[in-house]
Amino acid sequence: MLNQPSPSTVNKILKELGAENVIQKSSEGRYTLGRKIYLWGRVVAAQNTPIQIIRQQMLHIHHNYQVSVNLFTCVDQTMICLECYLDNQTPLLYPAGKCLPLALGVQGAVFFILPETLADSAFLEREAENYETPPKVADLKQMIRQAQLNDIQDDRALFYQELRCFSVPIREHGKIVMTVGVGVSSRRTREGDLVDAITSELQHIRNIVEACFA
């Protein structure tokens, strides 16, 4: 390792890394990971059996039910969409790569927010105020209780009246590392057994992926 390298050495290393597309320089002069690192990450992910399974199952749900399916993780209080298959009827959901502050209305965020925070009525009131039609705190508490009890979230369109979201946590060695969720038009959830089918599919994904992590 280099011990306090000179500025000229640092600049030389940065130029070489940039030439190889390992890093890239933004218009503001900041360095970020380049396309090569991104592609390496995609290759590694493609070789990861749990990720392969998640993608296959997400595509299955997307095609079979014509719904949007998202894979999220949470890093430093930020929800990051790792993968997404969007349906044209649910445009409010987010594309892969989208980063959002950890907030109760983000699909699956309920599983990453600390339980003591979720129990705080003042927090829930602040969260409710972020929406055009603020949900009732009592309804939010009921949603949270059901998510904690059943290990699956159904937001019952509390945040966006035209969009109903479902989500399950995925654990690796007991720790929640990702959530897989589905977004569907609220109108469609009144059709037949769609809600039961979606929740069953999400639970199936969780079970087979967690078995791979075991």
Side-chain angles (χ1 to χ4, degrees):
M1 296 180 65
L2 294 173
N3 183 23
Q4 295 182 338
S6 67
S8 61
T9 300
V10 172
N11 287 332
K12 181 180 179 183
I13 292 172
L14 290 175
K15 286 181 180 179
E16 290 179 357
L17 291 175
E20 293 295 328
N21 289 319
V22 173
I23 60 173
Q24 59 188 23
K25 194 173 185 180
S26 70
S27 57
E28 293 83 13
R30 297 175 181 175
Y31 286 98
T32 60
L33 294 179
R35 183 170 179 79
K36 181 175 286 188
I37 291 294
Y38 170 78
L39 293 174
W40 285 347
R42 299 288 289 191
V43 169
V44 171
Q47 295 172 347
N48 189 315
T49 300
I51 294 297
Q52 281 184 324
I53 292 172
I54 291 171
R55 285 177 174 156
Q56 291 166 1
Q57 295 298 318
M58 288 174 67
L59 272 172
H60 164 76
I61 296 175
H62 174 65
H63 290 312
N64 278 25
Y65 302 101
Q66 290 82 55
V67 295
S68 291
V69 192
N70 288 74
L71 176 67
F72 273 99
T73 191
C74 185
V75 178
D76 295 332
Q77 301 293 300
T78 299
M79 293 291 287
I80 303 171
C81 184
L82 300 174
E83 199 73 77
C84 180
Y85 299 101
L86 282 175
D87 179 73
N88 292 333
Q89 301 303 312
T90 52
L92 286 174
L93 291 183
Y94 305 104
K98 183 72 174 181
C99 296
L100 301 159
L102 182 63
L104 190 57
V106 179
Q107 189 183 67
V110 66
F111 298 111
F112 289 109
I113 299 174
L114 294 174
E116 53 266 36
T117 301
L118 292 173
D120 184 353
S121 294
F123 166 77
L124 298 180
E125 289 173 0
R126 291 194 300 272
E127 290 289 295
E129 291 171 358
N130 292 328
Y131 299 92
E132 184 175 347
T133 304
K136 297 179 180 177
V137 170
D139 291 337
L140 292 177
K141 289 182 176 180
Q142 182 179 10
M143 180 202 71
I144 292 166
R145 281 195 300 269
Q146 291 298 317
Q148 294 172 334
L149 178 65
N150 301 321
D151 218 25
I152 184 167
Q153 180 192 19
D154 174 1
D155 75 1
R156 299 188 178 277
L158 290 176
F159 304 102
Y160 303 101
Q161 294 181 354
E162 297 180 356
L163 179 68
R164 187 168 173 180
C165 292
F166 305 83
S167 185
V168 295
I170 294 178
R171 295 175 175 85
E172 182 177 11
H173 306 305
K175 180 182 179 181
I176 296 175
V177 293
M178 293 177 285
T179 61
V180 178
V182 165
V184 60
S185 163
S186 299
R187 174 184 52 79
R188 288 192 58 211
T189 61
R190 296 189 287 271
E191 300 173 359
D193 300 324
L194 182 60
V195 169
D196 289 340
I198 288 172
T199 55
S200 178
E201 293 279 10
L202 288 174
Q203 289 168 331
H204 175 66
I205 292 179
R206 178 181 60 210
N207 292 340
I208 61 175
V209 173
E210 289 184 352
C212 290
F213 283 139

